Amino acid sequence: MRNGSPPPVVLAISGNDPSGGAGIQADIEAIVSMGCHAAPVITALTVQDTRNATRVVPTDPALVVEQAEAVLADMQVAAIKLGLLPNAAVAGAVAELLSRYPGIPVVLDPVLIAGGGAQLAEDEVVQVMRTRLVPLALVVTPNSDEARSLAPDAGSLDECALALVALGARFVLLKGAHEDTPVVFNRLFDRNGLVERFEWARLPGSFHGSGCTLASALAGLIARGTEPASATHQAQQFVHDALVHGYRVGRGQPVPNRMFWAGQRE
Amino acid sequence: MRNGSPPPVVLAISGNDPSGGAGIQADIEAIVSMGCHAAPVITALTVQDTRNATRVVPTDPALVVEQAEAVLADMQVAAIKLGLLPNAAVAGAVAELLSRYPGIPVVLDPVLIAGGGAQLAEDEVVQVMRTRLVPLALVVTPNSDEARSLAPDAGSLDECALALVALGARFVLLKGAHEDTPVVFNRLFDRNGLVERFEWARLPGSFHGSGCTLASALAGLIARGTEPASATHQAQQFVHDALVHGYRVGRGQPVPNRMFWAGQRE
């Protein structure tokens, strides 16, 4: 048995992607790469390849909660990462669950649409996120489309992010990859406004699972005690490296190589 | 993008264990540790902690097949690992699926009972395994209880293993950890009888997820082109190391530390 304390536990609440590029596998690999133990709770099964998703089968909300409760009763959970919440019933059940564990930091990746364009979460999920999940999140990680969906009345994207902070999120990391800029600008906001602007070289093409990877790496770093602002920077670096070392395993988008860091960091 | 070919793909067909010790997470971590890409197909959701399983919710058999077909149409799959098949309908659907892809090597971990004693698969699964899955497996990896269930008419455990070879399995790796011996003897059989006997120090206590870890590491090594007999040896070494470096993350059994090799092998 290894010496010292066990690794911190990250509860990952997400859907399964059988291609292994996104979803719970992305979460597990990113969390493990950060030196944490993952505890996977499945919110939906999907039929999906590296191009797009063709079917989403939501898990019964009570079963989502039962899976999570089994973990929360057994282990000390250091952070919770929320990925796909396929419908309002599952999202609401998760919000109710989280309200009973107020001390655990939550990273919310507000997944709505698959990389290939398929709708993964029903429209009503947006309202549950806005009213019940964004307010209890330590960090929310929207891309530009998700930021506009969550804050439809805001003007600029930066104003969308600030609207989510106004709803109660401690930090919002706005991802700029979908914007039409020669480099990628990600921006971190808190209640005082812009905290930091990150600039990344724009990589060719798009990837399957980069958003799940970012949010899960972030949750892993936060579980290890890294400050949120520093953790957002390190998590972006991890994703950048994973994309640079990504590989095309199917006919569609390449997938991040999340095991790149595991070897580097030992 | 990384140079050269993408990693070989292992299709893992298994249940989810929210504790992260066993099930699809064990598969993903072991497969990745062998340098392969995992493609996870979920056969059941379970409510489970590091002590035992309290609920098994089988996936609709058609959805199991749909998940797997999405992967098989998109990627070149180099090996298939079968874990929990919760009922005869799922097991039968998987057998039918595999019969349509006869060229892909299959590792069958005949999961029946959880480490804590809970029944994971319905009784009728044994018959489907015996008649339809064991005959198409490259390697079957029963523990002593599973060997007796699959070959109830055989006398000794070694005769159980030989009975599974007679049913058509190319190799049977009989795991001896549940036997009352001072050291653990695992035995590999093929149609000519005993191929090799492996002796391992008996570690104190029992672990949550060691069987899933062994079968998945084996599938990963086979996907990379390792000969089955050599792969069974390397996979046992991986499990041994993962158990020696295991950690107690919940109140029950410790879990294997499957990221131990990832750092070592880079």
Side-chain angles (χ1 to χ4, degrees):
Chain A
M1 191 94 68
R2 85 183 217 164
N3 297 320
S5 325
V9 176
V10 177
L11 183 67
I13 300 180
S14 190
N16 183 64
D17 167 11
S19 85
I24 203 74
Q25 177 163 322
D27 297 346
I28 291 167
E29 293 178 357
I31 289 164
V32 164
S33 291
M34 296 304 114
C36 296
H37 177 84
V41 168
I42 305 289
T43 57
L45 299 184
T46 72
V47 176
Q48 184 168 176
D49 62 20
T50 53
R51 284 167 294 198
N52 210 346
T54 54
R55 193 171 166 205
V56 177
V57 180
T59 305
D60 173 49
L63 180 56
V64 172
V65 172
E66 270 186 71
Q67 294 175 77
E69 293 277 27
V71 174
L72 288 157
D74 190 37
M75 304 178 189
Q76 190 175 340
V77 172
I80 298 174
K81 185 262 176 176
L82 303 183
L84 175 60
L85 305 169
N87 57 31
V90 168
V94 168
E96 195 282 322
L97 173 80
L98 296 183
S99 71
R100 288 187 279 113
Y101 296 88
I104 307 176
V106 173
V107 175
L108 169 62
D109 182 20
V111 176
L112 298 172
I113 306 283
Q119 182 164 358
L120 293 173
E122 295 175 2
D123 290 339
E124 295 70 24
V125 170
V126 170
Q127 185 61 17
V128 179
M129 283 186 183
R130 197 157 37 205
T131 57
R132 302 181 63 187
L133 292 171
V134 168
L136 51 72
L138 176 62
V139 191
V140 186
T141 61
N143 62 30
S144 49
D145 298 334
E146 293 157 353
R148 289 198 189 284
S149 295
L150 286 167
D153 301 331
S156 69
L157 279 169
D158 287 11
E159 285 165 4
C160 291
L162 289 169
L164 299 184
V165 171
L167 286 173
R170 284 271 310 285
F171 293 92
V172 174
L173 179 64
L174 180 64
K175 300 177 290 188
H178 288 195
E179 294 173 74
D180 183 23
T181 50
V183 296
V184 174
F185 291 113
N186 296 336
R187 285 93 86 189
L188 182 67
F189 298 87
D190 71 3
R191 70 177 61 184
N192 297 314
L194 183 70
V195 176
E196 193 168 351
R197 195 171 83 143
F198 307 92
E199 183 179 329
W200 297 96
R202 186 174 284 284
L203 300 173
S206 62
F207 291 83
H208 186 77
S210 46
C212 309
T213 306
L214 177 67
S216 291
L218 186 48
L221 289 160
I222 287 167
R224 292 182 69 92
T226 309
E227 287 301 315
S230 174
T232 58
H233 192 181
Q234 290 180 53
Q236 289 172 75
Q237 184 71 56
F238 173 71
V239 173
H240 180 81
D241 293 350
L243 299 185
V244 167
H245 293 80
Y247 49 83
R248 179 169 276 112
V249 77
R251 296 181 194 168
Q253 300 172 315
V255 302
N257 183 347
R258 285 172 290 255
M259 286 303 111
F260 173 65
W261 264 27
Q264 290 244 317
R265 293 170 75 243
E266 294 285 325
Chain B
M1 193 92 67
R2 84 184 219 163
N3 297 320
S5 327
V9 176
V10 177
L11 184 67
I13 300 180
S14 188
N16 183 64
D17 167 12
S19 84
I24 201 76
Q25 178 163 323
D27 297 346
I28 291 167
E29 292 178 358
I31 288 164
V32 164
S33 291
M34 296 304 115
C36 296
H37 177 83
V41 167
I42 306 289
T43 57
L45 298 183
T46 72
V47 176
Q48 184 168 176
D49 62 22
T50 54
R51 283 168 294 199
N52 210 347
T54 53
R55 193 172 167 204
V56 177
V57 180
T59 305
D60 173 50
L63 180 56
V64 172
V65 172
E66 270 186 71
Q67 293 175 78
E69 292 277 28
V71 174
L72 287 157
D74 190 36
M75 303 177 189
Q76 191 176 338
V77 171
I80 298 174
K81 185 262 175 176
L82 303 183
L84 174 60
L85 304 169
N87 57 31
V90 167
V94 168
E96 195 282 323
L97 173 81
L98 296 184
S99 71
R100 288 188 279 114
Y101 296 87
I104 307 176
V106 173
V107 176
L108 169 62
D109 183 21
V111 176
L112 298 173
I113 307 284
Q119 182 164 0
L120 293 173
E122 294 175 5
D123 290 338
E124 294 70 23
V125 170
V126 170
Q127 186 59 19
V128 180
M129 283 186 182
R130 197 157 35 206
T131 57
R132 301 181 66 188
L133 292 171
V134 168
L136 51 72
L138 175 63
V139 191
V140 186
T141 60
N143 62 31
S144 50
D145 298 335
E146 293 157 353
R148 288 198 189 285
S149 295
L150 286 168
D153 300 330
S156 70
L157 280 170
D158 287 11
E159 285 165 5
C160 292
L162 289 169
L164 299 184
V165 171
L167 286 173
R170 284 270 310 284
F171 294 92
V172 173
L173 178 65
L174 180 64
K175 300 176 291 187
H178 289 195
E179 293 173 75
D180 184 23
T181 50
V183 296
V184 175
F185 291 113
N186 297 335
R187 287 92 84 189
L188 182 67
F189 297 88
D190 71 3
R191 68 177 62 184
N192 297 314
L194 183 69
V195 177
E196 193 167 352
R197 196 171 83 141
F198 308 92
E199 183 179 330
W200 297 95
R202 185 173 284 284
L203 300 172
S206 61
F207 291 83
H208 186 77
S210 46
C212 308
T213 306
L214 177 67
S216 291
L218 186 48
L221 289 160
I222 287 166
R224 292 181 69 92
T226 309
E227 286 302 314
S230 174
T232 58
H233 193 183
Q234 291 182 51
Q236 289 173 74
Q237 184 70 55
F238 174 70
V239 173
H240 180 80
D241 293 352
L243 299 184
V244 167
H245 293 81
Y247 49 83
R248 181 168 274 112
V249 77
R251 296 179 195 170
Q253 299 171 315
V255 302
N257 183 348
R258 286 172 289 257
M259 286 303 110
F260 172 65
W261 263 26
Q264 291 244 317
R265 294 171 72 244
E266 295 284 328

